[in-house]
Amino acid sequence: MEWYPKQRFGDLPTEIARRHPNREGLVFEDRRYSFSEMKEQVDIAAKALIAEGVEHGDHVALWLTNSDDWVFL
């Protein structure tokens, strides 16, 4: 038996949004996101990558400037 429940990294936005949906989760420059808004942005980014043809097991490189998009991707 494990001493803590195993989770996938990708499940963390859903879990924290479920537990604290309206708490502020990210402040970047003049933008503020609650945990539920962050989860929505993560889902939008994932769907966009899937629409571009990224599949399970693919490797993706990102080149972004200082941006809140880092958190969502």
Side-chain angles (χ1 to χ4, degrees):
M1 177 181 218
E2 299 291 333
W3 63 278
Y4 63 94
K6 303 270 180 178
Q7 290 185 341
R8 297 177 301 174
F9 186 75
D11 293 333
L12 296 177
T14 301
E15 176 62 21
I16 196 69
R18 183 189 65 75
R19 292 171 54 195
H20 307 289
N22 299 315
R23 281 196 188 167
E24 192 168 75
L26 175 65
V27 176
F28 181 81
E29 294 178 349
D30 61 343
R31 292 176 293 243
R32 295 177 176 278
Y33 300 90
S34 68
F35 283 117
S36 62
E37 291 169 328
M38 290 178 65
K39 181 203 174 303
E40 289 173 21
Q41 292 298 315
V42 168
D43 290 345
I44 289 168
K47 289 175 184 176
L49 291 170
I50 292 167
E52 288 296 321
V54 176
E55 297 179 349
H56 180 77
D58 287 351
H59 295 256
V60 176
L62 302 172
W63 186 316
L64 297 172
T65 57
N66 193 16
S67 168
D68 48 351
D69 291 331
W70 279 109
V71 175
F72 308 133
L73 290 168

